Every structure is written in C-alpha cells, then in structure tokens.
C-alpha cells in the first residue's frame, strides 16, 4: 500500500506537498518503488512555488504533469511528496528563508547542499526510494556529495525539461538521486532518452588541479577511495584541466546564468516586488545588471571550454575529480557574504559539466570528519549509461572498504 509520509522527520517537504500519492502502474521496472520531486515539477491540478511562497500564491495549477514524472509513473513508481528547494534554485547551500532547512541525516550538524536539498534529505532519510531534482550549476551533484548519495547530471537534453520551471535554459537539466547504485541505474534507464553512445572505458584522466585545490581532509579521503577502486579503472593520467583559467570559467557561468535568468525568473520577481531571502536577493540584483555584451563575452569563453572538454572526453574516456572541493558547511551558515567563498569555490568545480553539456555522476566514495564526500566522473556526450554501469561496478568496492 503506497501512502504519502505521515510525518517529515528531516523537514524535506514543502507545506503544499501531496496529500495523496500519485500511484504508479502495477507493473514495470520500478514497480512498488516511491519517489519525491523538487518543487519545480508540474503536477496536473497543482501549483509549484519554486521555493518562494509569493510565487506559489500567484501561480496557476498546472494543466499537465511533467513528462519525466509520467515516465516514472508508467514504469511503476509512485510519487509521494514534493520537496523543499533553495529559493528560486539560486543557491548550492540547501537552505530556504521561507520554508526552512532540511536535515542531512548523514551529517546532522551540516547542510545537505542545494538547491535540490529536500530531495536529497528525503532519499538519505529513506522517506522514498529515489527523488527528482534539477541541476543548473550543481544542484544535484552538490547534495549528492554532501548527503552520501548517487546523483546524475545527465548529458544536456537527454531528460525532458518540459513541465520543469526554467532557470538558465542553456544549463538546466533534470537529475535524480538514490542511495543504491542498482536502483540508480534502473531509474536512469527509464528516464534517459535520445542518443546513447556506447564505448568501453579505456582512459581515465585525473584532474590534478581540482584535487590540488580541494580541502585537505576531502582530498586525502578521495585519494584513499581511488586506491581502493583502482583495479576496476584504467591507470589514471594526471592532467591539468582548467589551471589558471578556473576563475574565468566560473565567472563565465555566473554571467551566462544571470543573463538567462533575466528572461526566466527575474520578470516575476520584479513585477511582483517579491520578498527574497538574504544572499538570493543580492544574486538576483547582480543578475539584473549583467549586460548583453558581458554575456556574449562569457559565451565565447564557454565555447572555448566546451571545445577543450569535448576534446578530452572522447567516447571511452572519463575525467575524475572531487564532486565538491570542501566538506559540507555547518548548519546555520548565513547565505550572504560569509557564504560567497564557499559558493565560488564550489561553482568552480561544478561548472565544467554545465559549460560542456557532458554527463557527470557523483558517487558516495568516502567520509571525513563524519561527513560524506562524493567522487565525480565526467563522461562523454551520450555516455550516461556507462556512468551508471560504473557506479554499480564500484559500489561493492567502496562499500567493502568503507
């Protein structure tokens, strides 16, 4: 008997969550499983808030359910909740000034990461089997790393964005989170569409600059994890990926994302005098001031980045790097000036897949100071299934050692 949760021990759900489950088919590859969705997916007859009560107040009920949800229902999974996200998805912290901060059961004194924070909290707390979120600048990969979960940002365009609130459309993707690799792969098989490019993994590039600039405790734990799984992977070739250009890469993402927001979220905020939480308010103000020329210059930088990463990530080649450069910050950190350094450092690591459109998986690989740490593999265009298979292959090695 599928039912919605009667309580919410980790504060993962929005006040307007489901009262009755959306029941999946009685048969299918995901039959009997449950999932929850980030508060930006359309569900017929219901409204989304995008993490802001004012938006929810003015929104109209959806005329149709997002196709990505329909695919899961048709595969047998039932939707049992709508989860909290960072306000208008404009954060990687995992805190909402209006709805609160979900609890990270894997590290209760620390944040879940965001913006798909409620989805990560719910999966980690076993409130559901898996969850949907979105990833524009790291919103699946960061909470996956901080919450000890598997998370996939797919090849750009391989999961339908129809019925999902846009933020920065040239970066937006639907992603998903799960605790176990086999289930994670099964969900991916249901959701992934479009061109699949099969290749045997024969080359592994270790992004030495990204390991070098990671927090020492995280870096050391991930090196130990790499030692444990080394026999299952090609001998790594150490290469510098971004080098001195990394600040330019991150800034290009900031400028393009902010310029695209001028056409998606900003019009509502400005026309309704929307009250925004600290940090988010300042980022929207900065986004409003980005010029067309700045965005165009950033797009030229992005084209250079894409060309470079595409040349590296040929079919059969993976790039390995820490998912995040730091352990999760402690709860209570204000989303303001003190958060800026963490945000900038994190976006420098997560912008690679966004700029290139390449798929990236975060796997729960290690732990330091009581906090989970994710290890990421960036694959080739259409190589999502190879990443899912890799997760299944590596899980027993990491579980046995951990």
């Amino acid at each position: 008997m599928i039912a919605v949760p009667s309580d919410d021990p980790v504060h993962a759900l929005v006040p307007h969550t489901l009262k009755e489950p959306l029941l999946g088919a009685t048969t299918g590859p995901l039959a009997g499983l449950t999932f929850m969705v980030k508060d930006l997916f359309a569900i017929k007859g219901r409204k989304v808030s995008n993490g802001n009560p004012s938006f929810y107040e003015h929104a109209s009920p959806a005329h149709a359910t997002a196709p990505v949800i329909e695919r899961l229902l048709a595969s047998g999974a039932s939707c049992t909740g709508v989860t909290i996200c960072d306000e208008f998805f404009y954060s990687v912290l995992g805190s909402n000034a209006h709805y609160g901060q979900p609890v990270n059961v894997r590290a209760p004194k620390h944040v879940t990461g965001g913006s798909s924070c409620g989805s990560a909290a719910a999966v980690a707390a076993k409130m559901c089997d898996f969850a949907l979120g979105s990833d524009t600048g790291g919103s699946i990969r960061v909470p996956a790393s901080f919450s000890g979960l598997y998370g996939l940002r797919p090849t750009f365009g391989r999961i339908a964005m129809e019925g999902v609130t846009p933020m920065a459309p040239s970066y937006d993707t639907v992603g998903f989170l799960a605790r176990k690799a086999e289930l994670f792969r099964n969900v991916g098989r249901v959701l992934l569409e479009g061109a699949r490019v099969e290749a045997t993994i024969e080359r592994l590039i270790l992004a030495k600059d990204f390991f070098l600039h990671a927090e020492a405790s995280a870096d050391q734990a991930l090196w130990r994890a790499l030692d444990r799984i080394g026999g299952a992977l090609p001998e790594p070739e150490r290469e510098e990926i971004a080098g001195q250009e990394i600040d330019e890469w991150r800034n290009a993402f900031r400028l393009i994302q902010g310029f695209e927001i001028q056409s998606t979220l900003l019009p509502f905020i400005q026309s309704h005098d929307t009250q925004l939480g600290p940090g988010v308010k300042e980022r929207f103000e900065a986004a409003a001031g980005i010029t067309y020329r700045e965005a165009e210059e950033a797009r030229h930088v992005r084209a250079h980045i894409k060309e470079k990463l595409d040349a590296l990530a040929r079919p059969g080649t993976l790039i390995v790097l820490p998912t995040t450069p730091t352990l999760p910050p402690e709860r209570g950190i204000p989303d303001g000036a003190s958060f800026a350094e963490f945000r900038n450092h994190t976006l420098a690591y997560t912008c690679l897949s966004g700029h290139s459109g390449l798929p990236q998986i975060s796997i729960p690989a290690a732990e330091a100071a009581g906090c989970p740490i994710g290890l990421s593999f960036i694959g080739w265009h259409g190589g999502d299934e190879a990443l899912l298979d890799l997760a299944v292959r590596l899980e027993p090695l990491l579980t046995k050692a951990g």
Side-chain angles (χ1 to χ4, degrees), residues 15-279:
H16 49 279
T17 189
L18 299 174
K19 303 304 179 187
E20 298 291 337
L22 304 178
L23 295 176
T26 56
T27 60
L30 304 179
L33 299 176
T34 62
F35 68 100
M36 294 182 178
V37 299
K38 185 176 182 176
D39 190 19
L40 49 49
F41 289 91
I43 297 175
K44 185 176 181 179
R46 297 182 54 81
K47 301 193 293 183
V48 299
S49 82
N50 300 323
N52 181 274
S54 178
F55 189 94
Y56 185 79
E57 178 185 351
H58 291 92
S60 298
H63 295 295
T65 298
V68 66
I69 295 178
E70 294 283 16
R71 288 177 72 88
L72 293 172
L73 296 175
S75 297
S78 296
C79 183
T80 57
V82 177
T83 60
I84 291 173
C85 59
D86 287 80
E87 189 174 15
F88 289 116
F89 338 120
Y90 219 165
S91 179
V92 289
L93 190 60
S95 180
N96 187 301
H98 310 286
Y99 295 137
Q101 188 173 50
V103 175
N104 183 351
V105 296
R106 290 294 307 278
K109 294 182 180 180
H110 300 263
V111 300
T112 59
S115 65
S116 304
C117 50
S119 292
V123 174
K126 301 182 180 180
M127 292 174 64
C128 56
D129 295 302
F130 64 95
L132 292 182
S134 64
D135 190 309
T136 299
S139 292
I140 281 286
R141 291 163 288 161
V142 174
S145 179
F146 289 173
S147 303
L149 302 172
Y150 292 91
L152 180 73
R153 176 193 166 92
T155 297
F156 185 78
R158 286 207 65 193
I159 300 180
M161 283 292 297
E162 183 182 349
V164 184
T165 303
M167 183 189 195
S170 73
Y171 290 99
D172 294 344
T173 60
V174 170
F176 53 97
L177 299 150
R179 293 183 301 276
K180 296 295 183 181
E182 186 70 41
L183 169 58
F184 189 66
R185 180 170 66 178
N186 291 342
V187 174
R189 287 172 171 171
V190 168
L191 294 181
L192 290 165
E193 302 178 272
R196 170 180 178 172
V197 179
E198 296 190 38
T200 301
I201 298 171
E202 297 179 336
R203 186 184 183 205
L204 181 66
I205 298 173
L206 190 146
K208 64 180 184 180
D209 44 341
F210 286 87
F211 279 91
L212 177 65
H213 296 296
E215 189 174 288
S217 57
D219 175 63
Q220 293 165 8
L222 290 178
W223 279 115
R224 290 192 294 270
L226 282 169
D227 286 342
R228 295 197 295 267
I229 62 179
L233 297 166
E235 185 69 23
E237 304 170 23
R238 302 188 182 196
E239 291 194 22
E240 190 172 81
I241 303 299
Q244 297 301 313
E245 296 180 348
I246 189 57
D247 289 339
E248 186 181 18
W249 289 21
R250 182 193 62 239
N251 195 50
F253 170 79
R254 180 187 67 83
L255 290 169
I256 299 170
Q257 178 194 43
F259 189 74
E260 293 186 8
I261 283 170
Q262 292 179 11
S263 301
T264 56
L265 301 172
L266 194 60
F268 173 86
I269 291 168
Q270 292 178 329
S271 62
H272 290 80
D273 193 26
T274 307
Q275 296 299 307
L276 300 172

Side-chain angles (χ1 to χ4, degrees), residues 301-311 355-358 381:
V301 174
R302 182 182 185 180
H304 159 70
I305 299 167
K306 178 173 171 51
E307 182 179 7
K308 181 172 184 175
L309 293 176
D310 284 353
H355 282 315
S356 63
L358 295 168
H381 291 286

